[in-house]
Amino acid sequence: MNQLYQAMHRIYDAQNELSAATHLTSKLLKEYEKQRFPLGGDDEVMSSTLQQFSKVIDELSSCHAVLSTQLADAMMFPITQFKERDLKEILTLKEVFQIASNDHDAAIHRYSRLSKKRENDKAKYEVTEDVYTSRKKQHQTMMHYFCSLNTLQYKKKIALLEPLLGYMQAQISFFKMGSENLNEQLEEFLTNIGTSVQNVRREMDSDVETMQQTIEDLEIASDPLYVPDPDPMKFPVNRNLTRKAGYLNARNKTGLVSSTWDRQFYFTQGGNLMSQARGDVAGGLAMDIDNCSVMAVDCEDRRYCFQITSFDGKKSSILQAESKKDHEEWICTINNISKQIYLSENPEETAARVNQSALEAVTPSPSFQQRHESLRPVGQSRPSTARTSSSGSLGSESTNLAALSLDSLVAPDTPIQFDIISPVCEDQPGQGKASGQGGRRTNPFGESGRGTRSETEDSILHQLFIVRFLGSMEVKSDDNPDVVYETMRQILAARAIHNIFRMTESHLLVTCDCLKLIDPQTQVTRLTFPLPSVVLYATHQENKRLFGFVLRTSGGRSESHLSSVCYIFESNNEGEKICDSVGLAKQIALHAELDRRASEKQKEIERVKEKQQKELSKQKQIEKDLEEQSRLIAASSRPNQASSEGQFVVLSSSQSEESDLGEEGKKRESEA
């Protein structure tokens, strides 16, 4: 019975484990759609299929749970009751019968030892009573024990058959539930899934064959790339890259003379050069290559070496490429990154245009010269010092520029200023750097005069932008945006030709009075551009980070006429915002000027009205005094009406003066 109980308990435990495992499988299938696999895209068909399987398996899990409950009630309960109750009862009765038998044997033993010579009635009575009690107890226990043994034979049959009957009924009920759930629709679904699996298997076999063929083709096509230094004619150098990655040998000094070369994987990330050694999880910063300089060098009799120097000159690194192609591409890529071309929307196209502009700025284009010569009036000869340009300039040429020569936009042989000479004082409003006027010296620590500070603080508009100064040059025209585009082209071309990559960063403060370039560290105003003198401003049509404005100032090359200087800046994707801010400032300044004139006109009208009011009140007072005087005269003449002719009325001096004033008032009133 114990072995049978253990076997049935194993069936019950296995059924519980099967129910729990089925439920866990359904739960995992439901969570499949939340997984994000690195190499697999979102497969909606797969997710929906697994969701359908999850529902079916969840129903099977419910059936298994019902089967577990039925096995517990119909199989495990009867055999457990037989084992725990009936068998224990038999064992208990057996022990009680054994104790009663032992007590009877002891009583018989004492009764047998009674003496014949000395009969004691009392002792005999006690021994006889003890034998009687023990025999009765033994007999009763024996009858219950034998009865239980006979009953156990029937209970044994029940205990064997009832669990088996419950097990079979539970299984039949489970299979009935399964047949109800596994209907024809599910069978059709399973058939479709089987067909899909076969299709996927065939597709996999086809893809494997295709990949094997692709691998063979790539091995054949890549055979020349296995050579360390491939032929540059077959694999030309790409000079317009702004990102590159590959293995380089880095030179590390181990002493005053000795050095070692370590092979590491290098890659560019934005304006940084990153390196990653073998076995490292991620790369680390090797050098900041914004505004850096790069050039080819000879080092320790090794080929294809180049040196990178940081913008401040404090850090340098010597690297070695594997081939001539990699050597030139690394130099061009770092050179493009140092110009911060990677910040533009299309870095490679911008790099191509910048490099093309640099080449065309050095090499004149005959077709462009002939096109402008054809546009000149007949009889006008072209000066020998005329500038030339290329059709691939950075700014898009408009129709107005097509009708003008470059000499009408930019003065010939005009020098370009690439840096800002920071003054020690903050210039007064109206004295830009190019104006040539003297400025008031102030505290070099950024404290400005009280008047200028109050004007800036009272301004309605205060907008601050981070800009980098590219250059400035004098222009001949200030009424066409193409002047700004042409100036941008020439300054960028000159920077590329002369390898000028450093740019001065400043804060551009836009107010309703002026534009200020402020040193971000010392907060000292470097330049002040009066807003009325800014006559033209524009953003590059393709690279929105470039913008410029034309400043009209008095003086320049000669003090008798006005000169125009074009300033070019680069911002962090805010060129249009800055131009909009300048336009808003000029509109605010215009409205403020109109309001000021209207206010002055209103004040003038109020002063005239006030003056007229004063004169009118004064005239009314005079009339009032005349009326009072006439009443006094009338009152004084009544008592003297009976006097003779020759008598006169004598008036006081005050009355005479009032009469004179009355006459003057009447004259003024008549004149008015």
Side-chain angles (χ1 to χ4, degrees), residues 198-315:
Q198 296 298 327
N199 293 334
V200 171
R201 190 179 299 277
R202 286 193 295 269
E203 185 178 354
M204 180 187 67
D205 295 338
S206 176
D207 286 348
V208 168
E209 293 179 0
T210 304
M211 285 188 290
Q212 292 294 337
Q213 184 64 35
T214 303
I215 291 174
E216 294 178 1
D217 296 341
L218 286 176
E219 288 179 352
I220 297 174
S222 302
D223 187 68
L225 296 178
Y226 300 146
V227 181
D229 196 359
D231 187 4
M233 300 300 294
K234 296 181 179 179
F235 302 96
V237 178
N238 188 356
R239 303 181 183 275
N240 303 325
L241 296 175
T242 56
R243 291 185 300 176
K244 188 169 176 60
Y247 281 94
L248 297 173
N249 294 326
R251 180 174 179 265
N252 298 320
K253 286 187 177 181
T254 58
L256 296 176
V257 180
S258 60
S259 61
T260 59
W261 294 81
D262 296 333
R263 179 179 169 84
Q264 292 185 2
F265 184 79
Y266 283 83
F267 60 96
T268 60
Q269 189 176 36
N272 299 323
L273 180 64
M274 313 293 288
S275 64
Q276 183 175 356
R278 187 182 299 274
D280 291 348
V281 179
L285 178 64
M287 182 180 292
D288 182 7
I289 54 178
D290 270 339
N291 299 325
C292 71
S293 60
V294 58
M295 61 181 178
V297 294
D298 294 330
C299 184
E300 298 182 3
D301 197 20
R302 283 181 176 250
R303 300 182 301 169
Y304 312 134
C305 294
F306 59 94
Q307 181 177 0
I308 307 173
T309 306
S310 60
F311 70 97
D312 54 3
K314 295 181 180 179
K315 185 177 181 180

Side-chain angles (χ1 to χ4, degrees), residues 518-634:
I518 301 174
D519 191 336
Q521 296 181 353
T522 61
Q523 299 301 317
V524 173
T525 300
R526 291 173 171 168
L527 288 178
T528 301
F529 306 103
L531 195 61
S533 300
V534 179
V535 295
L536 181 63
Y537 48 90
T539 307
H540 197 280
Q541 295 178 349
E542 297 178 0
N543 187 358
K544 299 301 180 182
R545 296 186 303 112
L546 299 179
F547 75 97
F549 58 85
V550 178
L551 187 73
R552 183 183 296 171
T553 58
S554 60
R557 294 189 173 184
S558 62
E559 299 293 337
S560 60
H561 68 282
L562 297 176
S563 62
S564 299
V565 180
C566 185
Y567 293 84
I568 305 301
F569 296 89
E570 181 186 37
S571 64
N572 298 332
N573 298 323
E574 294 180 343
E576 292 183 349
K577 292 182 180 179
I578 296 175
C579 290
D580 294 341
S581 179
V582 174
L584 178 61
K586 293 183 76 66
Q587 290 181 3
I588 293 175
L590 177 60
H591 288 300
E593 180 66 20
L594 295 177
D595 293 342
R596 186 186 64 79
R597 292 182 181 180
S599 177
E600 290 181 356
K601 187 176 181 180
Q602 185 66 24
K603 289 181 180 179
E604 184 67 24
I605 294 173
E606 290 179 356
R607 284 197 297 269
V608 173
K609 288 183 178 180
E610 185 179 359
K611 185 176 180 181
Q612 292 178 356
Q613 190 69 21
K614 287 182 179 179
E615 291 180 355
L616 185 58
S617 60
K618 187 175 181 181
Q619 184 176 355
K620 289 181 179 179
Q621 184 65 29
I622 292 172
E623 292 177 354
K624 186 177 180 181
D625 293 340
L626 289 175
E627 291 178 358
E628 185 67 24
Q629 184 68 30
S630 61
R631 284 198 300 270
L632 292 175
I633 294 173

Side-chain angles (χ1 to χ4, degrees), residues 442-560:
T442 59
N443 193 334
F445 294 100
E447 298 178 358
S448 59
R450 184 175 301 176
T452 305
R453 183 177 182 83
S454 62
E455 290 177 2
T456 305
E457 290 178 352
D458 293 340
S459 178
I460 300 176
L461 182 66
H462 280 85
Q463 290 188 349
L464 196 67
F465 302 94
I466 299 177
V467 298
R468 289 172 291 276
F469 181 70
L470 294 177
S472 64
M473 60 187 301
E474 186 175 350
V475 295
K476 297 179 65 176
S477 174
D478 55 9
D479 56 354
N480 195 332
D482 295 327
V483 177
V484 180
Y485 304 151
E486 178 63 22
T487 306
M488 289 179 182
R489 189 198 69 80
Q490 293 198 17
I491 290 178
L492 292 176
R495 278 181 169 269
I497 293 171
H498 300 289
N499 293 326
I500 301 174
F501 306 120
R502 179 177 295 182
M503 294 180 288
T504 304
E505 184 172 286
S506 304
H507 289 172
L508 178 64
L509 178 63
V510 180
T511 65
C512 299
D513 302 323
C514 60
L515 307 180
K516 286 187 177 183
L517 285 180
I518 301 174
D519 191 336
Q521 296 181 353
T522 61
Q523 299 301 317
V524 173
T525 300
R526 291 173 171 168
L527 288 178
T528 301
F529 306 103
L531 195 61
S533 300
V534 179
V535 295
L536 181 63
Y537 48 90
T539 307
H540 197 280
Q541 295 178 349
E542 297 178 0
N543 187 358
K544 299 301 180 182
R545 296 186 303 112
L546 299 179
F547 75 97
F549 58 85
V550 178
L551 187 73
R552 183 183 296 171
T553 58
S554 60
R557 294 189 173 184
S558 62
E559 299 293 337
S560 60

Side-chain angles (χ1 to χ4, degrees), residues 130-179:
D130 191 10
V131 170
Y132 171 80
T133 304
S134 61
R135 279 184 176 179
K136 183 179 180 181
K137 183 178 180 181
Q138 182 188 19
H139 186 251
Q140 290 177 351
T141 305
M142 179 183 63
M143 288 189 294
H144 285 291
Y145 180 47
F146 291 160
C147 181
S148 296
L149 285 175
N150 294 329
T151 307
L152 184 63
Q153 306 308 313
Y154 298 100
K155 290 183 178 180
K156 179 182 69 173
K157 295 178 182 179
I158 295 173
L160 289 174
L161 296 176
E162 193 174 9
L164 296 176
L165 180 62
Y167 172 75
M168 295 305 297
Q169 288 178 349
Q171 292 291 341
I172 292 172
S173 177
F174 173 73
F175 290 137
K176 285 182 179 180
M177 288 189 295
S179 64

Side-chain angles (χ1 to χ4, degrees), residues 44-61:
E44 296 181 358
V45 177
M46 189 68 179
S47 299
S48 62
T49 304
L50 293 181
Q51 289 294 321
Q52 185 68 21
F53 270 114
S54 174
K55 292 179 181 179
V56 175
I57 294 176
D58 196 11
E59 293 178 358
L60 292 177
S61 174

